[in-house]
Amino acid sequence: MARPVQIEVWNPNGKYRVVSTKAMPGTRWINLLIEQDCRVEICTEKKTILSVEDIVSLIGNRCDGVIGQLTEDWGEVLFSALSRAGGKAFSNMAVGYNNVDVNAANKYGIAVGNTPGVLTETTAELAASLSLAAARRIVEADEFMRAGRYDGWLPNLFVGNLLKGQTVGVIGAGRIGSAYARMMVEGFKMNLIYFDLYQSTRLEKFVTAYGEFLKANGEAPVTWRRASSMEEVLREADVISLHPVLDKTTFHLVNKESLKAMKKDAILINCSRGPVIDEAALVEHLRENPMFRVGLDVFEDEPYMKPGLPDMKNAIIVPHIASASKWTREGMATLAALNVLGKIKDYPVWSDPNRVEPFLNENTQPPAASPSIVNAKALGLPVSKL
């Protein structure tokens, strides 16, 4: 029998029981559940990642819905336990759901929620921050100063890369990839090369219009080009940011061979999914090419790193913080809670999961809908007409 898990309880007499496997930012998500007669139980265990057994214990004998995290293994065992407890919904507090066996959820008729639409600008901003930090060797310089090693200006001290006029490459020009591209093009007057299975017409129009603006003001215009392959972007760009989905075609997209094809002083940024990079090959490449730099927010075997990566001075590594702005994380918590609440109350599913502003406006009541249910079609759930 699983041991009891420590919890914090809000609205103990609520009609519906909703469990959150982690404390989440803000209180609006809690209040929205309480207003709809939910008892909210928040796990307060100290461990970073809960085991399947821990979550089974949390679910217990009666549970209407669970809000969980992308570090958890939501498969047959957990969906079976939630179904036995009378549960109707599970929502990841994340846009991705690689940790979720959606087929198992379908088997038990459980709706699976996620939180797209609220992470776009925040994630793109971190990718841009890593790009600039890598180009100008900011982390290395900061460590140098803190160690008390600076004793005067030198011509060759921490010489990095100028971004202006260089080429930024984007693999995956969806919402986040396009937002990042716009930041780099407009912010640093970089030329753009991108690869995506679908043409990003809005992004192309933006770069074209900005190029015309620069030309009208006597400056060299920026340009764009849609590459015919991912390899073309890796080969030609000075800064490459990865924003693809993770599937069998993008697993180890960046590997030993593709790293060799990149420029010796290129900058590689990954705020998407860790396994799109062969991390062991990356460590070897960083070691052999000291002017090649990388900025990583995600890792192949997260939370672990491949041996040698922490020792690389030409690597900037941060702990999966792409969505870590106050507004975004509180918004993610709200959307995850409303996904669960919507299924409990038999609300329809919101028609556009990327248009989330009506759910995040704190001055009005959110729409009577689940913001984003990834298996809505499989379960035959109705779509909101609002």
Side-chain angles (χ1 to χ4, degrees):
M1 183 176 178
R3 67 174 182 82
V5 178
Q6 294 181 355
I7 58 170
E8 175 185 13
V9 180
W10 295 69
N11 192 32
N13 296 319
K15 178 180 178 181
Y16 308 102
R17 180 172 178 259
V18 175
V19 169
S20 177
T21 63
K22 282 282 182 293
M24 299 190 296
T27 57
R28 183 170 182 252
W29 69 275
I30 299 173
N31 293 330
L32 288 170
L33 290 171
I34 290 174
E35 288 169 7
Q36 296 296 322
D37 203 16
C38 292
R39 170 189 169 105
V40 181
E41 296 185 11
I42 303 171
C43 179
T44 57
E45 291 285 317
K46 298 297 183 184
K47 60 173 69 174
T48 302
I49 301 173
L50 295 184
S51 67
V52 168
E53 292 75 20
D54 290 331
I55 300 173
V56 168
S57 180
L58 272 174
I59 291 170
N61 297 321
R62 187 183 75 80
C63 181
D64 295 284
V66 178
I67 303 167
Q69 305 298 318
L70 55 80
T71 53
E72 300 159 1
D73 182 13
W74 278 83
E76 175 79 21
V77 173
L78 289 182
F79 285 121
S80 173
L82 184 55
S83 177
R84 288 195 304 272
K88 294 184 175 183
F90 162 77
S91 185
N92 249 9
M93 183 194 158
V95 61
Y97 47 95
N98 300 96
N99 61 309
V100 180
D101 183 344
V102 179
N103 290 329
N106 293 341
K107 174 182 174 181
Y108 293 102
I110 293 174
V112 175
N114 69 335
T115 62
V118 70
L119 299 90
T120 302
E121 298 298 326
T122 302
T123 303
E125 283 181 4
L126 184 76
S129 300
L130 290 173
S131 301
L132 184 58
R136 298 304 302 272
R137 303 175 65 179
I138 290 173
V139 174
E140 291 178 82
D142 177 84
E143 292 175 349
F144 183 83
M145 285 295 295
R146 292 176 189 276
R149 296 168 59 192
Y150 180 61
D151 55 9
W153 184 88
L154 289 170
N156 292 317
L157 187 62
F158 293 112
V159 173
N161 297 16
L162 178 70
L163 295 178
K164 182 177 184 290
Q166 301 301 302
T167 298
V168 61
V170 173
I171 294 177
R175 296 185 316 278
I176 297 171
S178 290
Y180 167 82
R182 292 194 301 269
M183 291 176 188
M184 302 304 288
V185 169
E186 187 176 21
F188 302 105
K189 299 176 183 175
M190 301 186 77
N191 299 308
L192 171 67
I193 180 171
Y194 81 91
F195 175 79
D196 197 289
L197 295 177
Y198 303 97
Q199 183 176 7
S200 185
T201 306
R202 290 181 63 186
L203 176 59
E204 292 173 1
K205 288 181 177 178
F206 174 89
V207 180
T208 299
Y210 185 56
E212 292 172 351
F213 167 80
L214 291 175
K215 188 176 181 180
N217 285 273
E219 298 187 61
V222 292
T223 63
W224 64 266
R225 180 158 59 90
R226 183 185 177 196
S228 59
S229 67
M230 292 183 283
E231 291 74 20
E232 189 177 345
V233 176
L234 294 173
R235 186 173 62 249
E236 297 186 20
D238 300 290
V239 180
I240 301 102
S241 192
L242 305 175
H243 300 279
V245 296
L246 175 61
D247 59 24
K248 62 183 180 181
T249 68
T250 59
F251 177 80
H252 283 189
L253 160 69
V254 177
N255 50 42
K256 186 174 182 178
E257 290 71 29
S258 54
L259 284 164
K260 285 182 178 178
M262 295 171 68
K263 296 180 179 181
K264 296 296 184 183
D265 61 350
I267 294 168
L268 177 65
I269 305 298
N270 189 16
C271 292
S272 60
R273 290 291 181 267
V276 301
I277 296 179
D278 181 342
E279 206 167 291
L282 177 63
V283 172
E284 181 181 349
H285 190 75
L286 288 167
R287 187 177 290 119
E288 294 175 354
N289 298 274
M291 291 308 295
F292 184 93
R293 291 189 283 280
V294 66
L296 302 176
D297 181 53
V298 289
F299 305 90
E300 186 172 358
D301 300 316
E302 200 166 320
Y304 308 106
M305 291 182 285
K306 286 291 192 290
L309 182 58
D311 303 320
M312 296 295 103
K313 293 293 186 183
N314 47 345
I316 300 173
I317 47 180
V318 295
H320 207 141
I321 58 171
S323 65
S325 70
K326 182 175 183 294
W327 181 85
T328 295
R329 287 283 173 88
E330 290 185 2
M332 292 168 69
T334 295
L335 295 173
L338 291 175
N339 281 331
V340 171
L341 178 65
K343 189 63 177 72
I344 290 173
K345 304 289 283 188
D346 289 324
Y347 293 156
V349 178
W350 192 241
S351 59
D352 185 355
N354 293 310
R355 189 168 63 86
V356 296
E357 292 81 2
F359 295 97
L360 303 180
N361 185 346
E362 297 189 15
N363 297 318
T364 62
Q365 280 294 109
S370 292
S372 178
I373 301 296
V374 302
N375 59 342
K377 187 175 181 180
L379 296 182
L381 302 180
V383 175
S384 171
K385 303 298 183 184
L386 295 175

